[in-house]
Amino acid sequence: MKRTTLAGLAAPALLLSLVASGCSAVESPVAAVSSGVEDVDVPEVFTPVLVTTVGVETAPVQGRDGSWRVLYELVLTNAKPAPARIDRLDVVDADDTDAVVASFEGEDLVGLFHRLSGGPRATTSLAPDETAMVFVELTFDDLDDAPDAVAHRIVGEGAANPAATDPSAVDYVTAGFPLRERSQVVMGPPLRGDGWLAVNGLDTTAGVHRGAVQSIGGRLYDAQRFAIDWMRLDEDGMLATGDSGQVESWNSYDEPVLAVADAEVVQVLDELPDQAPGTLPDPSDITLETVDGNHVILELAEGVYAFYAHLKEGSITLEEGDSVSAGDEIGRLGNSGNTSAPHLHLHVMTADSALAADSIPYTFDGFTHTGRISDRAWNLTDGLEGPWTVETDGAGEEHTEQVPLGLDVVEFPED
């Protein structure tokens, strides 16, 4: 069975979710109101390569290692008849464009470039009318190091003026983007107990969640930017024992899924059977409504929604309009929808649509780090079942208002 499998509408993914430990009730998070990128001033100059952001704002989020990360995507379009090439991309402080926050060039820059339809690009060149996507990830040791807003310096070649048909040197600042108009959302745990493995999570620069940018309603959205897929390891390092083709063989299957905060139920789907592990549904049968299987959307606060995907059929007892308290069971972990192994997918977003929304960074009020699986071992193994060796550096450390990193194993409270 393939390790990474489709669980969203776009690229292959195994969508599970992020879990934390903190058994006390969690107050509903407050969403900051953003007035958008027009609040960030950039010079009015000729810009042959157009640069826009997917979404209008974001916020730094603190990972389990203590560092703060900022993740977002740029869309670059060569709007002129002259070929263009990006030689360097500087992320600069929007209040002082001489202050470089991060700079990318050479192979490091090429590695950020992706096709709009998905997958990496081998070049930073853009033919006339061509578009590419750039995945940006910034890391700060301290929150105070992150500016209020950033802008982007494009250095390379392109049409230097509106009449140019041959490329020449260009260097300009564009695309302001607020980083501090929204705060990370702090939530309670969506699952209970130990052995929860964070798959496809934070610090995966262009993984299956980052790469799942969708074109819906004439716009681009990345609702899954901060999503994490969760599966459960047993004490032997196994994700499944026995016949892995049966959903009951997977340790995470039928585990209770919990409300992460006091919330209102705004969307429920509970009519799809579990998919047999190791297989995917017929793509022609997938719709925006069914791609993530049986699911629940909770409104945590104005403009803040939590999305739970791939739940077990018949396990959701909630209806739209119901109120839930933090820690209430909202359903059971299943394998419904576009997925090939039982898991829980959870992400937080700006609207009550699983995919036509922008992703909001979030953390948990508390969890215990018990180890991690090495990236090398995970990437070199085709199967999911195990056994997996859990490296125990940092095991037993308690973390508050942070998010587990990709392939971390964490424990959540039982109560």
Side-chain angles (χ1 to χ4, degrees):
M1 178 169 59
K2 189 75 173 173
R3 182 181 60 261
T4 52
T5 54
L6 191 63
L9 188 62
L14 177 63
L15 301 184
L16 294 77
S17 5
L18 187 51
V19 198
S21 61
C23 54
S24 59
V26 178
E27 295 181 359
S28 294
V30 177
V33 177
S34 169
S35 50
V37 294
E38 64 270 15
D39 286 346
V40 180
D41 293 327
V42 295
E44 249 183 54
V45 298
F46 180 66
T47 56
V49 175
L50 308 181
V51 185
T52 59
T53 57
V54 177
V56 298
E57 65 181 8
T58 191
V61 62
Q62 190 174 36
R64 186 264 307 163
D65 61 355
S67 65
W68 294 80
R69 289 168 169 79
V70 173
L71 280 63
Y72 59 95
E73 302 80 42
L74 299 174
V75 179
L76 278 58
T77 301
N78 182 7
K80 294 302 172 184
R85 187 186 68 243
I86 314 303
D87 295 329
R88 194 179 83 233
L89 170 67
D90 291 341
V91 182
V92 300
D93 188 329
D95 292 328
D96 177 8
T97 57
D98 291 327
V100 178
V101 176
S103 184
F104 306 95
E105 56 187 327
E107 291 302 313
D108 290 339
L109 180 59
V110 173
L112 302 182
F113 270 67
H114 287 70
R115 299 189 304 271
L116 203 60
S117 60
R121 296 176 97 247
T123 176
T124 64
S125 295
L126 294 171
D129 303 315
E130 189 174 15
T131 297
M133 188 171 294
V134 176
F135 291 86
V136 179
E137 181 170 343
L138 311 174
T139 303
F140 303 96
D141 292 332
D142 191 279
L143 181 59
D144 292 337
D145 296 335
D148 291 339
V150 294
H152 301 85
R153 174 172 283 112
I154 300 295
V155 180
E157 288 189 343
N161 59 67
T165 56
D166 294 318
S168 56
V170 294
D171 183 339
Y172 55 87
V173 174
T174 186
F177 191 48
L179 302 187
R180 304 292 285 273
E181 292 189 6
R182 175 185 291 281
S183 299
Q184 63 180 20
V185 173
V186 182
M187 308 187 303
L191 298 161
R192 295 192 185 105
D194 60 7
W196 290 105
L197 174 67
V199 182
N200 299 326
L202 189 68
D203 77 355
T204 306
T205 301
V208 292
H209 288 151
R210 285 295 305 277
V213 177
Q214 301 298 334
S215 54
I216 301 172
R219 295 180 54 187
L220 291 176
Y221 296 96
D222 195 352
Q224 302 178 57
R225 184 182 299 118
F226 297 101
I228 294 183
D229 295 339
W230 286 100
M231 305 186 82
R232 196 171 201 178
L233 290 163
D234 65 17
E235 59 185 10
D236 297 318
M238 300 293 294
L239 291 171
T241 54
D243 181 359
S244 62
Q246 301 297 317
V247 290
E248 295 83 3
S249 298
W250 293 81
N251 300 321
S252 49
Y253 184 71
D254 202 33
E255 286 292 318
V257 175
L258 314 177
V260 294
D262 298 346
E264 181 181 346
V265 180
V266 296
Q267 191 177 119
V268 172
L269 179 69
D270 187 11
E271 60 186 37
L272 301 174
D274 286 318
Q275 187 72 19
T279 65
L280 291 170
D282 184 344
S284 64
D285 294 334
I286 296 172
T287 68
L288 284 174
E289 289 72 31
T290 64
V291 63
D292 289 308
N294 301 317
H295 61 265
V296 172
I297 297 178
L298 301 181
E299 184 177 15
L300 310 185
E302 183 178 357
V304 181
Y305 300 84
F307 176 68
Y308 301 77
H310 311 302
L311 301 179
K312 179 182 177 181
E313 183 181 17
S315 71
I316 304 171
T317 59
L318 305 171
E319 297 181 355
E320 294 178 11
D322 286 349
S323 295
V324 295
S325 298
D328 285 353
E329 183 175 320
I330 64 171
R332 293 272 170 161
L333 190 150
N335 196 45
S336 59
N338 205 24
T339 170
S340 67
H343 63 276
L344 172 68
H345 171 94
L346 172 69
H347 67 250
V348 181
M349 56 200 181
T350 57
D352 59 353
S353 171
L355 297 176
D358 197 43
S359 185
I360 298 175
Y362 61 97
T363 62
F364 294 94
D365 60 351
F367 61 89
T368 303
H369 173 61
T370 59
R372 72 182 312 275
I373 293 174
S374 78
D375 297 277
R376 184 175 185 276
W378 186 261
N379 292 329
L380 289 177
T381 304
D382 290 331
L384 275 171
E385 297 91 330
W388 296 100
T389 298
V390 178
E391 301 171 349
T392 56
D393 290 349
E397 293 178 352
E398 301 285 341
H399 295 267
T400 58
E401 296 190 12
Q402 294 181 339
V403 61
L405 305 181
L407 299 180
D408 275 357
V409 182
V410 303
E411 179 179 353
F412 309 101
E414 292 286 356
D415 297 328

